[in-house]
Amino acid sequence: MVFWVFGYGSLVWNPGFEYDDKMIGYIKNYRRVFDLACIDHRGTPEHPARTCTLEYKEGAICWGAVYCVRGDEEKERLAMAYLENRECEYDQKTTVDFFKDGEIGEPTLSGVIVFTSTPDKESNKYYLGPAPLEDMASQIATAFGPCGNNRDYVFLLEKAMFDIGHEDDLVIELANEVRKVLGITGLGIPKESSNRLTGPSLKPKSPMSPRKLLHLPEAISMDT
């Protein structure tokens, strides 16, 4: 028994389940957007967080990490049960082709599972839809839930994409806008983030690029 699951949000840096193999790579014709509400991890029903989902776009690519669970049926069942509970705001499982970093041509894997959401507010109660960058940043800067602040989610995703060597311009823009709202300097990344990985480790390929990070005058950071 074996299955592969592609992570493009918090699964990139914090899979949270036991896995047997991991690869960095991308899927085609999807892009990362912050259009999904989270009401039980980094937000609440009254003040939902904004988290990633995928939007279909011809010609786009989305970088992330793919994880393999290999073994008996019970091991697979436990991993999928964990993922379904964690990704409960996502109402679809889509299967995609995965292309490993550094390889071109034919896909490395087919039939890879990725959690996605229906982009329709009537049929999907968790779908928020797009919003201006400033509005999204204000929402993210103030939302928090049982698992932490929404802003940490964005900052950690920014770091994770730097660490695997494939920055996402939208993530960088949004993270910098959140820093503006909060009036903070530096990256704002929680220190404990590096201790949350399980399974085989991946050594960062490069440090964060200073040219894309916005540095602000000294100020007192807000904490919600």
Side-chain angles (χ1 to χ4, degrees), residues 33-207:
V33 292
F34 287 81
D35 293 353
L36 194 68
C38 177
I39 64 170
D40 58 354
H41 288 82
R42 295 186 181 269
T44 64
E46 295 77 21
H47 301 287
R50 273 190 179 264
T51 53
C52 289
T53 185
L54 293 179
E55 178 180 81
Y56 182 83
K57 183 175 176 60
E58 191 73 29
I61 63 171
C62 180
W63 286 89
V66 72
Y67 301 93
C68 174
V69 177
R70 186 183 295 113
D72 57 26
E73 289 187 24
E74 181 64 9
K75 183 178 179 181
E76 182 177 342
R77 186 191 67 79
L78 289 173
M80 184 54 67
Y82 167 81
L83 286 166
E84 288 176 341
N85 179 66
R86 173 172 167 169
E87 310 296 320
C88 59
E89 282 94 357
Y90 298 83
D91 63 339
Q92 294 180 332
K93 290 193 201 77
T94 304
T95 54
V96 295
D97 291 335
F98 172 83
F99 299 81
K100 186 179 178 181
D101 192 4
E103 294 185 2
I104 58 175
E106 294 298 312
T108 308
L109 298 167
S110 295
V112 173
I113 298 167
V114 60
F115 287 83
T116 59
S117 56
T118 304
D120 181 79
K121 292 182 180 180
E122 291 188 6
S123 62
N124 182 2
K125 65 180 181 179
Y126 297 113
Y127 181 70
L128 297 174
L133 187 70
E134 296 82 2
D135 293 350
M136 290 196 296
S138 294
Q139 181 177 354
I140 289 167
T142 56
F144 65 95
C147 294
N149 297 313
N150 195 184
R151 63 177 180 261
D152 292 347
Y153 174 90
V154 176
F155 296 154
L156 289 169
L157 180 57
E158 180 191 36
K159 181 182 184 299
M161 299 312 295
F162 274 104
D163 286 349
I164 67 172
H166 295 284
E167 302 106 328
D168 185 308
D169 287 341
L170 173 61
V171 176
I172 293 171
E173 282 186 62
L174 186 55
N176 282 333
E177 194 65 30
V178 172
R179 292 184 185 104
K180 271 189 184 180
V181 173
L182 295 170
I184 64 175
T185 59
L187 303 177
I189 298 168
K191 293 180 181 179
E192 69 273 13
S193 63
S194 61
N195 298 323
R196 303 177 73 183
L197 292 174
T198 61
S201 62
L202 179 71
K203 185 177 180 180
K205 296 181 180 179
S206 62

